[in-house]
Amino acid sequence: MLASLLVRLPAPWRAPALVLATWRRWRTVLMTALLGLVTIGSVEIRRPELTMSLLLYLPPLLGLLVMAGVFSHWRRPSVWTTVAQRRGAGVADGWRLLVLAAALYLIVLGPFALLALWTMPTSGADPSLVVERAAVFVATWGAVSFLTVATVSVFARRGVAGLVIVWMVSPAVLAVAGPALGISKAWLETLAFLAPPFHATARLHDVWSGARSDLTERVLIHLLTFPILCLGLIRLGLQRVVTAPAEAE
Amino acid sequence: MDTLVEARGVEHMIGERRILTGLALTVAGGEVVGIAGPNGAGKSTLGRLLLGFVTPTAGMIAIGGTDPYTFRRMHGVGFLHEDGGRGWEQATPRALLTLHHDDLDAIDQDPVARTLGIGPYLDRRVATLSKGQWRACQLTMACRSPSRFLLLDEPEAGLDPGAQGRLHEVIAMRAAAGAAILTLSHHLESLAVVAARIHLLVQGRFRDHIDPRDLSSSALRLRYSQGVDAANADPTDRARAD
């Protein structure tokens, strides 16, 4: 059955699809997601802090589960040497694998996010505004989380979760430790652009609605430059994997 | 016959450790060349260099007039590796063969697949195959590759004598079709059946170049032992290996 499905795909997509299909944990991810959905749907969360925690922590956790697993599977010597002997094997395989992993990530994250937004408690505030704010946050934070985890997963062979956490909390660490280390405010602000734009995602709705127009430039620049930084790093990481996979192992 | 694979003065170091020294090698289209040597001689490293997975520290390797990485990307390589099936447990051999070919029905009728007898387990999961069955599937994948260059690392490993005979048939079939084939192996007798030349690689150097056609099995083993003993007796090489 898998062979019949694969042969219907354009030839360049077969290897990434085969890698994703043979990654053993995707079924576990989907089953866990389904179980989680049933639980949330039946319990019906009515506590705002729980819903916001779900929307905050779920994207990076799912990203870690999917991206780190898929790229680690791709880099296994037996898997890599099989797919790398095809004509045309190279960096493009990595990008296609990233697209397929993104699809799996969205398939799992989407229903969770929709259910959380659907059941979101509003505590007397305008319900449409609360849901709109949360929807903007989860969409942006989902994309930022995916890019962060994807970048680390392509580069690192071990300790992906730790590196992701360090990268994500680096602005807070710098904010605390920076002045003690004698780093100027201008440098701290510049360095903050190299970290995942958590604050920008949290402020995007305010900027969007005009409530914080003073932050517009900073928020937009961070949200636009971070994907460029990540895609550049992913390109470098993929190049490193395809030109030196044996040494990499 | 045109030379497809050419290596000159190839050296490779990993950190401070010298793995390969001054290797020169040619393989022409339609030719089968064997590399024999004990464990740790550098055979698999040479294989990685020829596939473009690693760049040599010094020297030149050209395949089809270009570097190994570019050749592999442009034309593919039929590569049989030692690593086994970890990671592919959930796949079937037929699914893996779709990486090279579009016609699923033709796989059953393919001369390589028929000769290696993999038809009965094409649709079984890799996890359920024996080591020999999985090896035959890997060989089919490597030898059905449309590439002009095949690199077979320990192709006899896990095969029973009957399957080894079928392997030799397949190698001869691909060589007759013009492929340049390099086999890396410990199995001298098996190499002698298929290879026109055998290079003896010990401690990263070619110690002997053997034409196996006129040698008996015992004479072949003697040449191998003499080459290995000479390398081990060389104090320079012993120091380097340490």
Side-chain angles (χ1 to χ4, degrees):
Chain A
M1 184 186 163
L2 177 60
S4 313
L5 292 172
L6 287 172
V7 86
R8 285 175 221 279
L9 294 174
W13 285 89
R14 282 181 208 157
L18 186 60
V19 170
L20 192 70
T22 53
W23 176 54
R24 297 178 73 169
R25 291 177 67 185
W26 68 268
R27 292 180 192 84
T28 316
V29 171
L30 286 180
M31 288 308 292
T32 311
L34 194 64
L35 194 67
L37 279 174
V38 171
T39 310
I40 291 173
S42 56
V43 171
E44 197 177 334
I45 294 173
R46 287 292 177 200
R47 292 169 59 189
E49 66 273 23
L50 272 180
T51 306
M52 280 318 292
S53 296
L54 184 72
L55 295 179
L56 179 62
Y57 293 115
L58 196 64
L61 282 175
L62 268 181
L64 275 172
L65 208 56
V66 175
M67 294 306 303
V70 166
F71 273 87
S72 158
H73 180 56
W74 183 48
R75 271 204 292 255
R76 290 179 103 153
S78 52
V79 172
W80 169 257
T81 47
T82 302
V83 298
Q85 59 184 279
R86 297 151 35 246
R87 185 172 57 194
V91 171
D93 281 342
W95 287 116
R96 292 187 189 104
L97 192 58
L98 202 71
V99 169
L100 294 178
L104 180 59
Y105 172 77
L106 282 178
I107 286 169
V108 182
L109 179 64
F112 267 109
L114 288 175
L115 189 64
L117 294 173
W118 185 261
T119 57
M120 177 165 268
T122 52
S123 308
D126 178 2
S128 62
L129 193 65
V130 172
V131 172
E132 184 185 287
R133 173 187 283 274
V136 168
F137 173 76
V138 76
T140 324
W141 182 233
V144 166
S145 298
F146 181 81
L147 284 169
T148 306
V149 179
T151 306
V152 178
S153 299
V154 168
F155 263 96
R157 283 157 194 91
R158 289 184 186 84
V160 174
L163 288 169
V164 166
I165 291 167
V166 167
W167 196 14
M168 282 185 164
V169 303
S170 59
V173 173
L174 276 175
V176 174
L181 294 169
I183 303 173
S184 68
K185 195 181 171 199
W187 265 107
L188 286 175
E189 284 180 357
T190 307
L191 288 172
F193 280 97
L194 299 176
F198 174 74
H199 290 293
T201 56
R203 294 285 178 210
L204 182 62
H205 189 265
D206 292 336
V207 168
W208 185 293
S209 63
R212 289 300 304 268
S213 53
D214 57 311
L215 294 174
T216 304
E217 192 180 357
R218 187 174 176 79
V219 164
L220 289 183
I221 287 175
H222 203 173
L223 285 176
L224 291 174
T225 52
F226 186 70
I228 295 169
L229 173 72
C230 286
L231 294 176
L233 289 173
I234 289 171
R235 174 74 178 75
L236 285 176
L238 291 177
Q239 186 67 40
R240 195 161 139 251
V241 173
V242 301
T243 53
E247 285 181 328
E249 293 297 335
Chain B
M1 290 187 296
D2 294 331
T3 297
L4 184 74
V5 179
E6 186 179 11
R8 271 188 277 129
V10 172
E11 312 242 346
H12 192 62
M13 296 184 73
I14 297 178
E16 293 297 306
R17 192 159 166 255
R18 189 177 290 276
I19 308 296
L20 299 172
T21 307
L23 298 191
L25 176 75
T26 59
V27 189
E31 190 179 30
V32 183
V33 172
I35 307 281
N39 290 330
K43 298 191 296 294
S44 295
T45 302
L46 176 61
R48 283 198 284 272
L49 293 174
L50 290 165
L51 290 165
F53 289 165
V54 188
T55 307
T57 310
M60 180 281 295
I61 300 178
I63 303 182
T66 183
D67 66 275
Y69 171 70
T70 306
F71 180 86
R72 176 165 56 83
R73 214 164 48 83
M74 290 175 68
H75 305 286
V77 173
F79 175 47
L80 176 72
H81 53 93
E82 292 179 284
D83 294 316
R86 277 186 307 155
W88 292 128
E89 293 88 347
Q90 305 300 314
T92 61
R94 196 186 294 275
L96 289 167
L97 284 163
T98 63
L99 293 179
H100 286 311
H101 297 279
D102 295 327
D103 190 349
L104 284 180
D105 296 329
I107 293 171
D108 299 89
Q109 305 305 321
D110 179 76
V112 173
R114 286 174 73 108
T115 305
L116 289 168
I118 68 164
Y121 39 89
L122 268 173
D123 295 308
R124 276 171 51 186
R125 283 192 303 121
V126 170
T128 68
L129 301 180
S130 71
K131 188 180 174 188
Q133 288 171 332
W134 168 238
R135 199 64 175 161
C137 292
Q138 285 182 295
L139 275 165
T140 306
M141 273 183 273
C143 293
R144 281 193 93 238
S145 163
S147 177
R148 289 179 296 147
F149 177 43
L150 305 189
L151 198 155
L152 310 177
D153 195 355
E154 302 287 356
E156 312 83 359
L159 297 181
D160 60 43
Q164 286 187 28
R166 294 193 289 275
L167 162 70
H168 299 153
E169 274 182 55
V170 167
I171 290 176
M173 197 188 296
R174 283 304 316 265
I181 304 175
L182 190 69
T183 62
L184 316 172
S185 180
H186 296 290
H187 295 77
L188 277 181
E189 284 81 4
S190 182
L191 280 181
V193 174
V194 292
R197 284 177 286 129
I198 299 174
H199 299 282
L200 178 58
L201 182 67
V202 189
Q203 292 181 14
R205 271 180 212 257
F206 285 145
R207 304 289 169 167
D208 200 354
H209 305 280
I210 304 168
D211 181 346
R213 282 170 296 192
D214 301 325
L215 293 178
S216 65
S217 293
S218 53
L220 197 60
R221 278 198 294 272
L222 184 64
R223 284 277 291 271
Y224 179 89
S225 304
Q226 285 171 341
V228 173
D229 290 345
N232 289 337
D234 185 335
T236 324
D237 287 329
R238 265 216 310 270
R240 192 184 58 228
D242 292 341

